[in-house]
Amino acid sequence: MSRYYSKNAKSRRERIGFYTAFAICLIAVCMAVYSTYNTVSDNKAKTVSTAETGVVVVNEPVSNVTVPVPTLGMKSDSEVTVPTETAEPDTHPTEALEDETKGRGDALETMLAADVSLSMPTKSGHVLRPFSRDSVYYKTLNTWKPHTGADFDGELGEDVLAMLGGEVTKVTDDKMYGKTVEITVNNVTVGYGGISGVKVKPGDKVEKGDQIGAIGVVPSEASDKSHIHVYVRVNNDYADPLSFIGNNN
């Protein structure tokens, strides 16, 4: 009897051990199948998403992608253009530009200091570019700077007339404005740049309306229509020439 009981007890322990091991194996197999299923499902979802939307999943390796690279067309210096809103004034002006920007006083004060009336320097009196204390773009120079004068356009060789009577104080060949004539009376000087065929010399007395030369070329503004560049200085301050035209005094 004792031997039979011992044999049955051993048999039950063996069966319990077998079923326990079997259960553990079954759980491990289930977990492995579940993990494999999730991995396959995720990869399938990513493949479908990429195929349908055309969007590459972040952090996924991508191959065979061609990115177009834009090419920059090279232009000659004469073709280069600068946007008015993004270009800065020239920080290294030439000697002529430095001379031009000296002595810019208050505009109204400068006007009141001059008791003159100017006439038009050309037959048409058409203004190509007005006076500006703010920087404007010079196409020829490809730079920005104040335009401390007024440009009057016309045909090459057209007469240029004295805007006021006075003494011719300077006739020079300026690297920025070409052949230049200055006429002065009291504290007012009127300069004419871009003159050809100059008919006066320093020390000459001229009357308003006298011919002093003809329309030539302004080197610093050669890309514009043919014109002359006229500037006015009152007590060495630059002023708008147009503000004195037609004054009654």
Side-chain angles (χ1 to χ4, degrees):
M1 181 69 176
S2 174
R3 186 181 304 167
Y4 176 77
Y5 176 79
S6 176
K7 184 178 180 180
N8 287 342
K10 181 179 180 182
S11 177
R12 284 196 301 274
R13 285 195 300 271
E14 290 176 351
R15 284 198 299 273
I16 292 172
F18 170 77
Y19 287 122
T20 300
F22 178 77
I24 292 173
C25 291
L26 183 61
I27 291 172
V29 170
C30 291
M31 291 180 66
V33 171
Y34 179 75
S35 176
T36 301
Y37 173 78
N38 280 346
T39 301
V40 172
S41 297
D42 288 346
N43 290 337
K44 184 177 180 181
K46 291 176 182 178
T47 302
V48 171
S49 175
T50 302
E52 290 180 352
T53 64
V55 178
V56 178
V57 180
V58 177
N59 295 329
E60 288 297 310
V62 181
S63 60
N64 299 324
V65 176
T66 302
V67 179
V69 179
T71 57
L72 178 63
M74 300 304 293
K75 297 183 178 181
S76 65
D77 292 342
S78 61
E79 295 175 316
V80 176
T81 57
V82 179
T84 58
E85 289 153 304
T86 58
E88 294 293 332
D90 189 359
T91 55
H92 301 287
T94 63
E95 180 180 345
L97 298 187
E98 290 174 343
D99 290 341
E100 184 183 38
T101 55
K102 290 179 181 177
R104 276 191 249 135
D106 178 79
L108 180 58
E109 181 181 343
T110 302
M111 288 174 58
L112 294 176
D115 185 24
V116 296
S117 176
L118 304 182
S119 60
M120 289 294 182
T122 60
K123 181 179 179 181
S124 68
H126 183 261
V127 177
L128 178 65
R129 176 183 285 173
F131 175 93
S132 176
R133 292 186 185 276
D134 296 325
S135 292
V136 298
Y137 182 59
Y138 282 68
K139 183 178 179 181
T140 304
L141 301 176
N142 191 27
T143 192
W144 292 76
K145 70 185 189 73
H147 190 246
T148 52
D151 295 341
F152 295 85
D153 63 2
E155 299 296 327
L156 285 174
E158 182 181 328
D159 291 348
V160 175
L161 311 175
M163 300 175 73
L164 83 166
E167 181 182 350
V168 178
T169 52
K170 182 185 292 185
V171 176
T172 184
D173 199 357
D174 187 88
K175 61 183 178 181
M176 294 293 292
Y177 297 110
K179 188 69 74 175
T180 301
V181 175
E182 287 190 355
I183 298 174
T184 301
V185 57
N186 299 325
N187 62 337
V188 178
T189 296
V190 179
Y192 309 79
I195 305 297
S196 67
V198 177
K199 295 183 177 297
V200 296
K201 63 183 183 300
D204 286 353
K205 304 292 184 179
V206 297
E207 299 294 330
K208 181 186 294 186
D210 287 352
Q211 183 184 2
I212 61 174
I215 294 178
V217 176
V218 180
S220 62
E221 301 171 344
S223 297
D224 300 330
K225 293 176 57 179
S226 58
H227 67 279
I228 58 170
H229 176 87
V230 176
Y231 56 87
V232 173
R233 290 198 305 268
V234 180
N235 294 328
N236 207 38
D237 290 339
Y238 283 91
D240 183 359
L242 301 181
S243 64
F244 300 102
I245 293 179
N247 284 348
N248 294 318
N249 53 358

